[in-house]
């Protein structure tokens, strides 16, 4: 089987992290975002993966080469000279996606969930039609485009954009599986799969939905990256609790804490709930961490408090300092002692020596 991952451009929504690392390689729960997806695809029998990108960072090519060898798969870049929307990349990758009759997955690189690729594949093959959309249920469907199915069926009847009256609560989760025949519907030009291709497939009774169980989140911007991390850790607590720090640890304060084995944690800390601590991170004495992510090589000094924030690679937070309000530190940022930072996006290699009380970009 084959898969196309829609990566896109420079990851501007996730800056300042993506100023140093390409978006697919930013660690989500201590593992590159794209590796979560590749592992799940390989498990479902995928052997050929295409990354649809606007540019090809050399660092990404080197990492993906390692993944090719590790999993025994082929990974190719499909580089768009102009943005091709959500359907155009399928036409550009036609050579790989259409090389045989087996179906192929298409997924958005920013989506995290429990990736039910195996169940989705079996469901798709069983119904025998051209496409299957992964659907997730939401509490406020009026904010989204809603999928309406035929009565007592998984077949898609129509799509309703931001409905005023209740017509359903299933929305497009950004993951699909298609037969190669779909390629006959798509021209090599900027095209929207949601607005141009899906309505035609639904009219031909060739499109089904498959309901996602569990959590779902687009983690393409910092506040959603943090929310997605919380959802992932909650899922991990149910599926593989042994991967999380045990409740018996003296620093545990609320559960769902993921600590890399190489990280060091001081005395008298309160950590949790929903915290990820990366490789070689150093947490001082008396530190309080809540709903935050510490990337590789970070240092949080004694009695600091980090909440609702992402501390980028090799950055340090001074003694008695406090980060809050979806603060994001880029690579190698130094926060001085006794500093308060609220909702700031701090670009790489900066030193902060005065309080930042209002959300904004620190350049």
């Amino acid at each position: 089987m084959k898969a196309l991952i829609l990566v896109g451009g420079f990851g501007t929504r996730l800056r300042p992290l993506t100023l140093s690392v390409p978006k697919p390689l930013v660690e989500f729960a201590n593992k590159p975002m794209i590796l979560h997806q590749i592992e799940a695809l390989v498990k479902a029998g995928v052997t050929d993966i295409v990354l649809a990108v606007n540019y090809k960072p050399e660092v990404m090519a080197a990492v993906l080469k390692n993944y090719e060898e590790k999993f025994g798969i082929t990974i190719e870049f499909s580089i768009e000279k102009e943005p091709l929307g959500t359907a155009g990349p399928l036409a550009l990758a036609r050579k790989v996606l259409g090389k045989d009759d087996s179906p192929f997955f298409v997924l958005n690189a920013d989506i995290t969930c429990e990736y039910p690729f195996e169940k989705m594949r079996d469901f798709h093959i069983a119904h025998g039609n051209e496409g299957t959309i992964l659907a997730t249920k939401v509490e406020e469907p009026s904010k989204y485009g809603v999928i309406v199915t035929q009565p007592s069926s998984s077949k898609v009847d129509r799509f309703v954009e931001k409905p005023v009256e209740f017509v359903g609560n299933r929305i497009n989760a950004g993951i699909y599986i298609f037969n190669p025949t779909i390629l006959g519907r798509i021209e090599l030009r900027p095209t929207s799969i949601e607005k141009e291709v899906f309505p035609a497939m639904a009219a031909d009774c060739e499109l089904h939905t498959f309901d996602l169980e569990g959590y779902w989140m687009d983690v393409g911007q910092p506040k959603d990256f943090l929310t997605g991390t919380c959802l992932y850790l909650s899922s991990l607590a149910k599926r593989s609790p042994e991967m999380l720090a045990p409740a018996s640890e003296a620093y545990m304060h609320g559960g769902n804490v993921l600590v890399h084995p190489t990280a060091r944690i001081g005395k008298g800390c309160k950590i949790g709930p929903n915290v990820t601590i990366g490789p070689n991170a150093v947490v001082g004495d008396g530190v309080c961490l809540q709903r935050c992510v510490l990337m590789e090589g970070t240092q949080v000094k004694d009695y600091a408090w980090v909440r609702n924030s992402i501390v980028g690679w090799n950055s340090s937070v001074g003694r008695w300092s406090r980060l809050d309000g979806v603060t994001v530190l880029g690579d190698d940022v130094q926060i001085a002692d006794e500093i308060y930072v609220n909702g700031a996006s701090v670009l790489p290699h900066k030193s902060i020596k005065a309080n930042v009380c209002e959300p904004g970009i620190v350049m």
Side-chain angles (χ1 to χ4, degrees):
M1 285 182 70
K2 306 144 295 190
L4 176 70
I5 302 178
L6 302 171
V7 175
F10 294 93
T12 51
R13 293 190 304 153
L14 201 53
R15 285 179 178 167
L17 300 176
T18 49
L19 292 170
S20 306
V21 172
K23 183 176 65 176
L25 300 186
V26 171
E27 293 93 348
F28 178 80
N30 287 345
K31 188 190 296 184
M33 291 194 338
I34 201 162
L35 183 54
H36 289 273
Q37 297 178 329
I38 289 173
E39 286 179 343
L41 288 167
V42 168
K43 208 173 164 192
V46 170
T47 55
D48 296 88
I49 296 174
V50 181
L51 299 187
V53 295
N54 296 151
Y55 76 119
K56 181 182 175 180
E58 293 306 316
V59 61
M60 199 152 84
V63 171
L64 293 173
K65 193 77 185 163
N66 292 336
Y67 295 165
E68 281 188 316
E69 293 167 8
K70 180 179 177 181
F71 298 111
I73 58 175
T74 302
I75 302 175
E76 293 184 21
F77 285 90
S78 178
I79 303 171
E80 304 171 20
K81 291 187 173 67
E82 61 170 336
L84 292 173
T86 48
L90 279 73
L92 191 62
R94 187 187 306 269
K95 185 177 164 190
V96 174
L97 302 180
K99 72 175 187 175
D100 57 32
D101 291 335
S102 69
F104 59 86
F105 290 101
V106 176
L107 54 150
N108 185 318
D110 293 345
I111 300 299
T112 179
C113 63
E114 289 179 9
Y115 303 123
F117 293 134
E118 293 167 280
K119 290 179 181 176
M120 200 174 168
R121 172 201 64 203
D122 295 344
F123 173 80
H124 177 79
I125 290 169
H127 70 61
N129 291 123
E130 197 167 70
T132 304
I133 299 175
L134 186 66
T136 186
K137 294 178 180 177
V138 293
E139 291 179 6
E140 293 186 52
S142 59
K143 292 180 178 179
Y144 303 92
V146 172
I147 306 167
V148 182
T149 55
Q150 295 177 9
S152 304
S153 171
S154 64
K155 270 190 180 172
V156 176
D157 182 60
R158 67 192 191 280
F159 299 87
V160 181
E161 192 63 35
K162 296 182 180 175
V164 178
E165 297 179 354
F166 185 85
V167 291
N169 63 348
R170 287 185 180 90
I171 66 163
N172 180 346
I175 296 177
Y176 322 113
I177 182 169
F178 301 122
N179 294 341
T181 50
I182 192 179
L183 298 171
R185 298 179 183 269
I186 303 169
E187 297 174 21
L188 184 52
R189 61 177 176 82
T191 317
S192 166
I193 202 164
E194 298 86 357
K195 293 177 181 173
E196 298 177 61
V197 180
F198 285 166
M201 292 173 71
D204 294 340
C205 295
E206 287 287 344
L207 192 58
H208 291 250
T209 64
F210 179 79
D211 285 347
L212 172 67
E213 295 173 6
Y215 76 98
W216 175 88
M217 181 58 67
D218 178 330
V219 295
Q221 52 190 354
K223 70 179 178 65
D224 296 332
F225 189 95
L226 287 167
T227 301
T229 299
C230 297
L231 294 169
Y232 175 84
L233 293 174
S234 295
S235 170
L236 205 59
K238 294 173 192 164
R239 293 180 292 124
S240 305
E242 70 283 356
M243 293 181 68
L244 297 173
S248 57
E249 288 285 0
Y251 57 73
M252 283 293 280
H253 191 72
N256 294 358
V257 176
L258 180 67
V259 181
H260 193 274
T262 60
R264 288 182 290 155
I265 297 172
K267 298 171 186 171
C269 294
K270 286 189 174 180
I271 300 178
N274 299 311
V275 173
T276 300
I277 300 176
N280 300 310
V282 178
V283 177
D285 294 340
V287 167
C288 183
L289 303 176
Q290 295 174 302
R291 200 177 186 271
C292 64
V293 175
L294 308 186
M295 297 290 193
E296 182 171 1
T298 54
Q299 184 177 14
V300 180
K301 296 180 183 176
D302 298 351
Y303 308 107
W305 185 18
V306 181
R307 185 175 72 172
N308 290 324
S309 298
I310 302 170
V311 181
W313 310 271
N314 310 305
S315 292
S316 78
V317 179
R319 287 169 55 91
W320 296 100
S321 288
R322 176 173 171 178
L323 308 186
D324 205 346
V326 194
T327 288
V328 186
L329 308 185
D331 180 27
D332 183 35
V333 170
Q334 311 302 317
I335 306 292
D337 293 347
E338 301 179 26
I339 294 295
Y340 172 57
V341 183
N342 174 40
S345 290
V346 186
L347 272 59
H349 314 299
K350 298 290 170 191
S351 294
I352 305 294
K353 296 176 181 175
N355 293 341
V356 181
C357 299
E358 297 298 324
I361 298 171
V362 179
M363 301 180 69

